[in-house]
Amino acid sequence: MELKLADYKSDLAPDWCPGCGDYGILSALQMALYKLKIEPSRAVLVSGIGCSAKTVHYAATYGIHTLHGRPLPVAQGVKLANPELSVIAMAGDGDGMGIGAGHFIGAGRRNPDLLYLIFNNAVYGMTKGQASPTLELGAQPKSLARPNIQNKVNPLMLAFAAGFTFIARGYAYDVKKLAHLMELGLRHRGLAMIDVLQPCPTYNNLHTREWFAPRIYDVAAEGYDPLVPREMSDEERAERMGRFTTKAGEWGERIPTGVFWQAQLPSFEERLGEYLPGYPADAPASRPPGGEAERVSALMRGHRVAQ
Amino acid sequence: MELKLADYKSDLAPDWCPGCGDYGILSALQMALYKLKIEPSRAVLVSGIGCSAKTVHYAATYGIHTLHGRPLPVAQGVKLANPELSVIAMAGDGDGMGIGAGHFIGAGRRNPDLLYLIFNNAVYGMTKGQASPTLELGAQPKSLARPNIQNKVNPLMLAFAAGFTFIARGYAYDVKKLAHLMELGLRHRGLAMIDVLQPCPTYNNLHTREWFAPRIYDVAAEGYDPLVPREMSDEERAERMGRFTTKAGEWGERIPTGVFWQAQLPSFEERLGEYLPGYPADAPASRPPGGEAERVSALMRGHRVAQ
Amino acid sequence: MEDYTWRVGGPQGGGIETAATLFAQALARGGWWVSARREYHSNIMGRHSYLDVRATRRPTRAFFERVDLLAALDAETLVRHLGEVKPGGVLVHDPEAARLPLSKLAMLDSAAYRRIAVALGGGDPLVQEALERYRDEGVHLVPLALEPLAREAGEAAGADAITARKTLNTVAVAASLALLGYPLELLEGALEAHFAAKPGVAELNRRVAAEVYARVEPLKEGHLEPVGSPGKRIYINGSHASAMGKVAAGLGFMSYYPITPATDEPFYLEAHPESGVLVVQVEDELAAVNMAIGASMAGARAALTTSGPGFALMTESLGFAGLTETPLVISLYQRGGPSTGLPTRTEQGDLRFALGAGHGDYPRAVLASESVADNFHDAALAMNLAQRFQLPVIHLTDKYLASQTRTLEPFDVAAIEPDPGVQAREAAGVFPRFSLNAEGGVSPRIPVGTPGAGYWITSDEHDEIGHITEDPELRDAMMEKRAAKMDALKEWLGADAMYRAWNPGADILVLGWGSTGGVALEAMTGLDLGYIQVRFLLPFPDLEELISGKKLVVLEYNQSGQFAHLLTQETGRKPEHLIVKYNGRPMTIEEVRAAFEAVLSGTAPQYMVLRGGV
Amino acid sequence: MEDYTWRVGGPQGGGIETAATLFAQALARGGWWVSARREYHSNIMGRHSYLDVRATRRPTRAFFERVDLLAALDAETLVRHLGEVKPGGVLVHDPEAARLPLSKLAMLDSAAYRRIAVALGGGDPLVQEALERYRDEGVHLVPLALEPLAREAGEAAGADAITARKTLNTVAVAASLALLGYPLELLEGALEAHFAAKPGVAELNRRVAAEVYARVEPLKEGHLEPVGSPGKRIYINGSHASAMGKVAAGLGFMSYYPITPATDEPFYLEAHPESGVLVVQVEDELAAVNMAIGASMAGARAALTTSGPGFALMTESLGFAGLTETPLVISLYQRGGPSTGLPTRTEQGDLRFALGAGHGDYPRAVLASESVADNFHDAALAMNLAQRFQLPVIHLTDKYLASQTRTLEPFDVAAIEPDPGVQAREAAGVFPRFSLNAEGGVSPRIPVGTPGAGYWITSDEHDEIGHITEDPELRDAMMEKRAAKMDALKEWLGADAMYRAWNPGADILVLGWGSTGGVALEAMTGLDLGYIQVRFLLPFPDLEELISGKKLVVLEYNQSGQFAHLLTQETGRKPEHLIVKYNGRPMTIEEVRAAFEAVLSGTAPQYMVLRGGV
Ligand SMILES: Cc1ncc(C[n+]2csc(CCOP(=O)(O)OP(=O)(O)O)c2C)c(N)n1
Ligand SMILES: Cc1ncc(C[n+]2csc(CCOP(=O)(O)OP(=O)(O)O)c2C)c(N)n1
Ligand code: SF4
Ligand code: SF4
Ligand SMILES: [Mg+2]
Ligand SMILES: [Mg+2]
């Protein structure tokens, strides 16, 4: 049966605020899955807690709406147990860069084959607009009692420091481009992050459609090449890193989107396969039952008093 | 009474393994405090859990040996409550870059006036030598059953991404230079991190004194200037960031030490002071008792049905 | 009228909260005692929400299920609140809504849809069916198109269409009060006070209110009149009361990570620097609790607020505070669990967790607030206990109290003094912070950073100056020193502080804790029952004598009967009846009274579940 | 000899663990049943540590305080173990140590120093004083300088000085066995097996052993002989047994964060890929538990191990597993608390925490292992319960069992089968993962990713397909469906699986749980007592009848009597005596027997603290 875009939509009506950027992210994700013809039942969406986290309920895939800050570990568990699945983790900026920041670093070190979306609205939507870790120092959206006194963290820079092998930024109101980025991220073998700029019209009256529109541009249009070859001279690496850092740090009058960094390194599943017989083909979730008694007997042999 | 170096030493004998790098870090810290004539009773050392964490017991200051991964939040609590104190947080690499990584990002966004030492031995010493987040991919110290399958994280890069305003690296066996770095870090107004390369002869047989000795060099000796001016052109900033990233990423035949980045930005205490009457002079831990009834009455006025 | 309940329902984010505040304030200004409760979905905009405002001539403790007037701001409200308006009560509704089929109510979830559709006769019924039901139940229907009214009144007052639409809340209140014949001036006063910071908005709303009054005829009967003056009364919710209680006891530091419904407290303090509290939003609850512990070690009075998920992340550090004898207060705002559960609904499901939180044995105190006013007094008491006995104190409260707003006489702040704790008179050199020479287990204390002295603190077992020890004898001595605090604390408190008893001579005693107290007491009026409000869960009061020979009934908001289990553990007694509720809705006077009557008539089962509420 | 205990003491990291293994294996090869326990400081190198090896002709369950032979590898051991060698026993010591003053023992902590100095007559006594005490107590002193002996024997065997020094453990064992007249061949066999991977080292140690045997004269009496053949016996510790039990029940995934003493289990599995388990070391316990939950949702059998601090960080996710009905097993290795506490010592201080962990009410099971063998069987049972009832299961064990090694007959793996759980027969389209049509509360399941189907999982309350709901009726139905599992599980288990009873007809019943069982049973030999080992703490067995009319004694490893409280909560009965220990040392047969005798003679207080151990 031919898959249709509608096959990726669940029966549930979203309860986001009118104009919320989350609508665009949901559409883009459905388009990307559709474009890649990923069977809905072979895709697993894993979110945390927040407005953003409701996304999984609106897609007709498997959806896991976990705990605040924990989508990445749960997503990795799903993926490692069944590496055949397409697993997409998603987090609010509070979810992913605040309470979940430690897992961000941990996952970056592993490079599992996941797509990870950050819903970056610079506020804690679900809890009524407190500053999120991506809100600039000194900014005061209407929901704050005083200007923000914490500096913001840049998801792109953090992903780079953590070792993500695909680092991109998209914009929730540019659904088509965002869908394309997601497609690239899903195709990437390894850990792919997309920092999605997501307006929250209810609480963030600073980063609105009007504010973003004139600023957003595509790095690809400027000839920026994100592909990092496997082998590089020290100079080449230095040059690349410098270029990345500069682009990733750009914010203000112009805000770059697109793919910033893409490197080919063995995924965690591949690395595990070197030590685990049969993995990833023979994975914990797909292994046929049986053989337990033999496995224990093999272990017990090492404990025999006399061989 | 003239302070002596001995005044910084407690009566307790360390129970680290012979040759452990922790001895050098302890000495360096005592030297730095002595050099700066910081009253022992006005210094608070805050550690997590691990071999490294025992350090606080061997200094005759106040010492808080907290929980695994939590030195930074506790240290910030002490400092914010009593900004007059010199607070030094310290963490093992597992403590600081593994379980405590989220706090690393959080603290970086705040820039509190703390010195933060990472005891980087690339293993979990206290729990018998498992890979720590700073161990290279593929490395296999004798305590591991198989080569490490996770990538390492670079504390310098992570500190940069998180927004630390002073970023340095030292070497535990070069006590004098390390003491000097600590002095600079203590003098810095804001969040200063020193990544201290700390051999663990018991579990890490790869990163030994012999391995480090020929590799370690001082970036200052090469004319590297870490000072970042407050105002910079875009090009200048890009150039600086590129230079930092390259140096911070260097590892292998040559391993740079010294100060990599130093920026002057308002500390968290200063930022708080803009909104909190009297702070930091009048801080929660130093405020004289009294006035509570007035404060509540002031709050209640806002709740009166009729004014 | 002696006792009047007004309900306003509509979509979340549509202004119904402001409406309730205005209605309540208008009545409060007329000398009424008012209380309000709020029910809402975990959603920012669009899902169904409602508030009740109860106005009485004397202070009350609880709410009814059925109301006197329901102002429905949308069609969904009409179908959801079927059967909840008293016979003879009033329903204000948009006549246009009647023509909608149920299936067009976009935010009606499938479970509610199915149930309501069946109740209205099956198929895809029209809202009109619901209106007829109300009428059948003797409800007086007042068709009043509030949205058009807002538009018209707003435009008449000179506003553009969008701004006019925003006065809907004022319109709903003005229409209700006009129907009830309540003086416009009192509403005007409420509007002025509410919009004090925005004189233009205040003026517009005043004009709109006047316009509505001009258009809406008072009902023929059932009017409300002012009954006096508010004097110095305050109108306050449980979150702000709790915040003030802590300030009264010297709070200096609060770190927090946002979570419903606990964040209102730090958010309030953050917005009011005159509280003198240093408030820091941090990266997660692990940071929050450890930062507060650090501040407390340095000598600041430190406290936290959180709810279940956040509390779970704090448990490791709770033991750290216990072992290191660090004063710390956590106000735990219970909400519907388990896990994320029902995050905006009420429950008392965290008692067992609070009592056992953290591995190993260490002293801690757990107390629970009965009311909004208790939130103030208990928060202060918790702070003082923490300080005096150098331990963590868990102050249990819940979503129901957090979002409940009441008129109260101002708190008697002069009666509260921050406990100075047991301070060392002098300290030089190495200081025995954990001295075994400790009356009631409390070693005299100096904060970290005290000039001229020094000591260590460790999460390991330790000696008197704070160095790690694994010595078996010293270990036992330290465990026993710490444990001694529990008896000392109990003695210091005295039995009277640990529970409250009403009519304890009755043959049947109801036992409750936390916010069940209010509804139990209102529901038992005139019944031959006694009531015991257990205020301290740890240490537990000595109730053996009081309950001996009595039939016991436990009332609480959780499925398993966590308090009932505790009662058995502490007294050996199993209650004869356990009445519980766990659907996230507050207990109402009607359903609790019915349960009590069943107990008295002998028809009650051992385990009874209350299922009321929208 | 029927029952012999050998103790070796010395600095941590100095080879005493290998020594104990060699001694135990040499005896096991001679047909002895052996068991070993290990006591150590939270330190990598230098602080005092010791191991006991008990050898008997029949399997045993516990250890004695006093030993038959103490091989002291350093002077500190001599002073610490005063009074712990039986009269007539043997002390092997370095004669040089005698000349040291106590103050020169660098790793003797101040508390121990003070106490021992006083015990030896005050001042800064010489170690010689200690030796004299031993002699006074009838201990046979064997001065044998083990280090010089290692050097000499090693060099005689052709090694350089540093390598020779490393044979100290072999020397200690060889000297002991030579003194006891035990055949050298059996030690040689043990050496070969132990150093199988390094033939050169094996050869050197064999030569050294022979050299020692040549130099050391057997004692005149008290010899040990081989008693038979080991057959297929295995020699295994509690950690490895627990790992194997999980593998037997189909374990496929284990994520972990290192923590003492729980890490040995994942570390063992990681080193043995033939176990078929995917083991991942992660960044913290929050990642560990959530990764395991994810793996379980995808259909892998997933488990975790941790101890108190790590478990604390997992509590939020425990509720998540409970609410989402995700099978999950956590082996909780209890150690001395609270907080970091005594991280390498034993305790049963986490029971209350485990029972209440996580906010809100949700079903979970808690069982506790009595022995090393139980660790195997209970781990398997826990896995199967989790799978069958789709809930989290907490398997309580402790440091004492983790680091206890025993000879056992091989586990009967054929008797264990992974429970298939309740699988849906077919699934297409949207699947009702949380179907209310669920026998015993268990909805048929398909894993996430099953082709052709789909559903949702959320930590919020939800409907049958996993979408969020706040509907009060659906909420109640879901709560009731989940709660139904507890009764179903209890019925499925049957009473026999929930507790074990020995001599339950006695007038006085001792009740214990977890690792207290072994020592209780050995200590009560010949006394008129019954013993109940409560295996399931949640759900709790029906003990009312069994204990009715009996005098009850509870024995457990924690200060507050956590199990005693649970007993009262579940049965209404308060035990007449509570015997506890919380100094981190295992209970010994002697002290428990003394306590039982005091109970029988009527001289025991209600609350008794055991304080033995080094
Ligand atoms: C442990 C825990 N702490 C706090 C919360 C409360 N909480 C729910 S959503 C949220 C923040 C959401 O912000 P973000 O992650 O940015 O997502 P958004 O709503 O903006 O999409 C918080 C703090 C929680 N559910 N769990
Ligand atoms: C919550 C928690 N998890 C795990 C542990 C166990 N633990 C103690 S020390 C340690 C790691 C120490 O490694 P590192 O931080 O690198 O310090 P080092 O010992 O190498 O100095 C761990 C995992 C703990 N104490 N608490
Ligand atoms: S609060 Fe913001 S993020 Fe949340 S649904 Fe509304 S617009 Fe979207
Ligand atoms: S294990 Fe390593 S880090 Fe720990 S004390 Fe020994 S040498 Fe130092
Ligand atoms: Mg957000
Ligand atoms: Mg380390």
Side-chain angles (χ1 to χ4, degrees), chain B residues 15-22 51-52 121 123 125-126 198-204, chain D residues 44-45:
Chain B
D15 69 358
W16 291 312
C17 308
C20 176
D22 291 352
C51 295
S52 43
N121 58 4
V123 291
M126 194 71 188
Q198 174 242 315
C200 164
T202 299
Y203 294 118
N204 187 338
Chain D
I44 303 301
M45 252 185 213

Side-chain angles (χ1 to χ4, degrees), chain C residues 52-139:
Chain C
D52 282 7
V53 180
R54 182 179 177 197
T56 47
R57 291 180 192 242
R58 277 170 308 134
T60 57
R61 302 171 178 272
F63 294 87
F64 291 105
E65 181 72 45
R66 306 227 280 179
V67 303
D68 296 287
L69 189 157
L70 168 60
L73 296 200
D74 63 359
E76 186 176 334
T77 300
L78 292 173
V79 300
R80 281 196 184 265
H81 292 266
L82 263 176
E84 302 234 311
V85 184
K86 289 181 195 161
V90 177
L91 175 68
V92 177
H93 67 97
D94 184 343
E96 293 295 304
R99 297 184 307 164
L100 288 170
L102 215 53
S103 57
K104 277 277 187 281
L105 309 183
M107 284 296 137
L108 197 63
D109 54 281
S110 58
Y113 175 85
R114 276 194 298 269
R115 188 169 54 250
I116 296 169
V118 168
L120 292 179
D124 184 22
L126 297 181
V127 172
Q128 177 63 30
E129 301 287 336
L131 293 177
E132 273 154 32
R133 291 295 165 98
Y134 282 105
R135 199 188 326 264
D136 294 349
E137 286 164 5
V139 174

Side-chain angles (χ1 to χ4, degrees), chain D residues 366-389:
Chain D
V366 180
L367 78 167
S369 288
E370 180 187 329
S371 63
V372 171
D374 257 14
N375 260 12
F376 174 84
H377 293 288
D378 291 346
L381 176 58
M383 294 290 294
N384 280 343
L385 285 176
Q387 203 62 33
R388 167 158 291 254
F389 294 98

Side-chain angles (χ1 to χ4, degrees), chain B residues 255-266:
Chain B
I255 299 177
T257 60
V259 184
F260 290 68
W261 185 265
Q262 183 165 13
Q264 286 304 337
L265 288 173

Side-chain angles (χ1 to χ4, degrees), chain C residues 172-295:
Chain C
V173 174
S176 300
L177 290 174
L179 284 169
L180 298 172
Y182 196 72
L184 173 60
E185 310 83 72
L186 289 169
L187 173 57
E188 288 175 332
L191 285 166
E192 251 155 55
H194 190 80
F195 296 112
K198 302 175 189 158
V201 179
E203 177 57 21
L204 170 67
N205 280 276
R206 256 170 23 86
R207 284 206 221 155
V208 165
E211 187 69 31
V212 172
Y213 261 72
R215 289 165 184 240
V216 174
E217 284 280 292
L219 295 168
K220 300 220 178 63
E221 48 189 38
H223 286 196
L224 282 181
E225 275 131 43
V227 295
S229 114
K232 301 195 157 195
R233 278 179 213 156
I234 56 175
Y235 183 62
I236 189 166
N237 69 24
S239 303
H240 298 172
S242 176
M244 287 184 195
K246 295 189 181 90
V247 172
L251 181 69
F253 189 93
M254 182 177 276
S255 32
Y256 79 101
Y257 188 73
I259 192 162
T260 307
T263 322
D264 288 347
E265 193 175 326
F267 210 66
Y268 170 74
L269 290 171
E270 197 168 37
H272 289 87
E274 68 270 28
S275 67
V277 183
L278 197 172
V279 181
V280 192
Q281 184 191 331
V282 297
E283 58 274 20
D284 62 13
E285 285 87 352
L286 291 155
V289 64
N290 285 295
M291 218 179 267
I293 287 173

Side-chain angles (χ1 to χ4, degrees), chain D residues 228-241:
Chain D
S229 114
K232 301 196 154 188
R233 278 179 213 157
I234 56 175
Y235 183 62
I236 190 167
N237 70 25
S239 302
H240 298 172

